[in-house]
Amino acid sequence: MTVWDDLVGQEKVSAVLDAAARDADALVTAAAADQPLPETSKMTHAWLFTGPPGAGRNQAARAFAAALQCVSPDRALGGAPGCGFCDGCHTALLGTHADVTSVAAVGSEILVKDMRDTVRKSFTSPANGRWQIILVEDAERLNEKSANAVLKAVEEPAPRTVWLLCAPSIEDVLPTIRSRCRHLNLRTPSVEAVADMLMRRDGIEPEVAASAARATQGHVDRARRLATDPAARERRAAVLKLPLRLDEVGACLRAAQELVDAAAEDAKQLAEEMDGKEAEELKAALGAAQGGRMPRGTAGVMKELEDMQKRRRTRTQRDSLDVALGDLTAFYRDVLALQLGTRVALANADAEDALERLARAGTPESTLRRIEAIAACREALDRNVAPLLAVEAMTMALRAG
């Protein structure tokens, strides 16, 4: 199983990355043997991966990082880098490779202080790998200062450093950065391709796999979670019942509160899994005495960790809300399809009775207004409007139609 097997429905992108990884391997091999470098190469020092949510931008970038770090002996016999089994591939895919650094937004932005050490590391030689790789998972969240820091590093990279930037679209990245990157655009995989992946890789029953892939409309990560996590299926079922409950103002306010509370519970569960472990690891690194007593001068470091964890909880809550809003949008999109006389590719076939009921009770114009109300809620959340206020405004608009 090669590293490219996780790139669902991205055959063209896989082919480009495979060719680049082969050329990168040839470059490193030639340099190590003090041989002349190839005159032409498909490899470059900076890559930009774009595509809609769920297309697999980060997976593609991490698979490429693994292929660049591949140390399989089969390469000397003509095999392609990216075996998926060697130490280089395995640690790069897990995120534990010493020469693969990942940067992701903790809050709404990637701050310059979060990039300083990473930029500094990008100018060093690989410690034990073949390349020094910097993977920025949320390049669209770079603010002005952190983007300028990345720009300086991309403009004059070290010889063995590769930058991998991921963003929803090319417009989300500064023109000065994207002009120095090779751009790869991933497409939303087909429902059939996602269902096949769930059956083949996760052992999901065909009916469950098809339902999860159809419900998420090709979003690979959400389809896997929906297929494997009963709690995720319960939350989605609750969201799909919401449009039938908005018959009075009180019901709208209760529904909004429930959506926000469910998102907060998701964030709390993640925090419980990660925050305590991070705090204990930092205390150990700082030399905490037995009983938890911290050395002098370390309070500021602990406060920084707490602030980071708070930003992450806020982002996790809003990401969870966004998933629910996406499910609502797909629901009303199906209602609109029925109102326009088509049943092709309904995402929520398991809620067809509710879809039929709302389709008969409204008009295409009112359904479009409801879809616009959900989009307005998402925009309000992006502008840091209080989640409960934004969701209450949305549920009231959904009731009015």
Side-chain angles (χ1 to χ4, degrees):
M1 182 179 66
T2 70
V3 297
W4 315 118
D5 288 346
D6 278 337
L7 306 189
V8 183
Q10 311 295 343
E11 290 77 11
K12 291 183 178 179
V13 169
S14 298
V16 171
L17 295 177
D18 180 61
R22 290 172 186 265
D23 284 354
D25 184 61
L27 288 170
V28 174
T29 302
D34 200 23
Q35 297 175 350
L37 297 178
E39 293 184 2
T40 60
S41 173
K42 297 180 178 66
M43 183 60 187
T44 187
H45 72 284
W47 297 75
L48 175 58
F49 297 82
T50 64
R57 301 186 300 263
N58 294 340
Q59 290 88 337
R62 192 164 291 282
F64 187 39
L68 293 178
Q69 302 291 19
C70 183
V71 292
S72 169
D74 293 341
R75 294 176 298 105
L77 303 176
C83 65
F85 294 102
C86 70
D87 184 65
C89 286
H90 185 65
T91 54
L93 291 173
L94 287 179
T96 58
H97 197 291
D99 294 314
V100 180
T101 302
S102 297
V103 180
V106 174
S108 60
E109 294 181 333
I110 298 179
L111 306 177
V112 67
K113 68 178 183 179
D114 299 327
M115 289 300 304
R116 285 197 187 105
D117 290 341
T118 302
V119 170
R120 192 177 299 116
K121 185 177 181 180
S122 74
F123 290 106
T124 64
S125 298
N128 52 28
R130 299 168 68 79
W131 297 87
Q132 184 73 262
I133 298 173
I134 310 297
L135 169 56
V136 183
E137 298 182 3
D138 305 292
E140 76 279 10
R141 295 180 185 266
L142 291 165
N143 63 22
E144 183 179 357
K145 291 183 178 179
S146 56
N148 286 334
V150 171
L151 174 60
K152 292 177 182 178
V154 172
E155 280 181 326
E156 300 176 0
R160 295 273 289 279
T161 294
V162 181
W163 283 84
L164 308 178
L165 309 179
C166 303
S169 70
I170 195 170
E171 289 78 16
D172 291 317
V173 180
L174 282 178
T176 48
I177 292 179
R178 68 189 190 222
S179 65
R180 290 164 173 80
C181 299
R182 183 170 183 187
H183 177 219
L184 291 177
N185 186 48
L186 284 73
R187 62 187 180 89
T188 299
S190 67
V191 170
E192 292 75 18
V194 175
D196 178 70
M197 180 272 297
L198 292 174
M199 292 185 288
R200 180 168 41 86
R201 297 295 303 277
D202 298 284
I204 305 299
E205 292 294 326
E207 185 176 339
V208 176
S211 176
R214 185 171 56 247
T216 56
Q217 292 294 286
H219 193 300
V220 178
D221 291 336
R222 286 182 56 202
R224 178 180 280 118
R225 184 176 183 187
L226 201 60
T228 58
D229 184 1
R233 292 196 290 272
E234 291 176 6
R235 283 193 295 272
R236 174 176 172 270
V239 170
L240 297 187
K241 292 177 182 177
L242 183 144
L244 298 177
R245 299 168 47 198
L246 306 179
D247 52 357
E248 58 181 17
V249 172
C252 293
L253 300 182
R254 286 193 297 272
Q257 186 69 63
E258 289 171 10
L259 277 180
V260 173
D261 288 347
E265 183 62 27
D266 265 1
K268 180 181 177 182
Q269 289 178 4
L270 179 63
E272 289 175 350
E273 295 173 7
M274 302 180 65
D275 290 2
K277 181 181 178 181
E278 289 174 344
E280 291 303 319
E281 289 176 349
L282 182 58
K283 288 178 181 178
L286 294 173
Q290 190 172 6
R293 187 181 181 88
M294 296 296 297
R296 289 184 178 181
T298 60
V301 179
M302 293 302 299
K303 181 66 166 57
E304 285 185 7
L305 176 63
E306 292 170 1
D307 290 343
M308 181 275 289
Q309 291 174 340
K310 183 178 180 180
R311 295 200 309 272
R312 183 172 62 202
R313 283 195 295 271
T314 299
R315 183 188 173 192
T316 302
Q317 180 181 359
R318 297 195 175 187
D319 286 348
S320 181
L321 264 179
D322 193 65
V323 170
L325 296 180
D327 288 337
L328 273 178
T329 302
F331 182 90
Y332 281 111
R333 172 261 183 199
D334 286 350
V335 171
L336 181 63
L338 292 178
Q339 289 171 332
L340 296 177
T342 179
R343 294 176 177 270
V344 176
L346 292 181
N348 301 284
D350 53 338
E352 192 165 351
D353 289 344
L355 295 175
E356 292 275 10
R357 179 176 165 184
L358 287 181
R360 290 193 299 268
T363 64
E365 291 78 13
S366 63
T367 302
L368 282 172
R369 285 194 294 271
R370 290 181 171 113
I371 292 174
E372 290 170 356
I374 300 170
C377 180
R378 298 174 103 159
E379 291 176 6
L381 292 173
D382 285 341
R383 296 195 303 270
N384 291 322
V385 173
L388 184 58
L389 290 178
V391 178
E392 283 179 346
M394 179 196 73
T395 55
M396 294 294 290
L398 294 180
R399 174 178 178 269

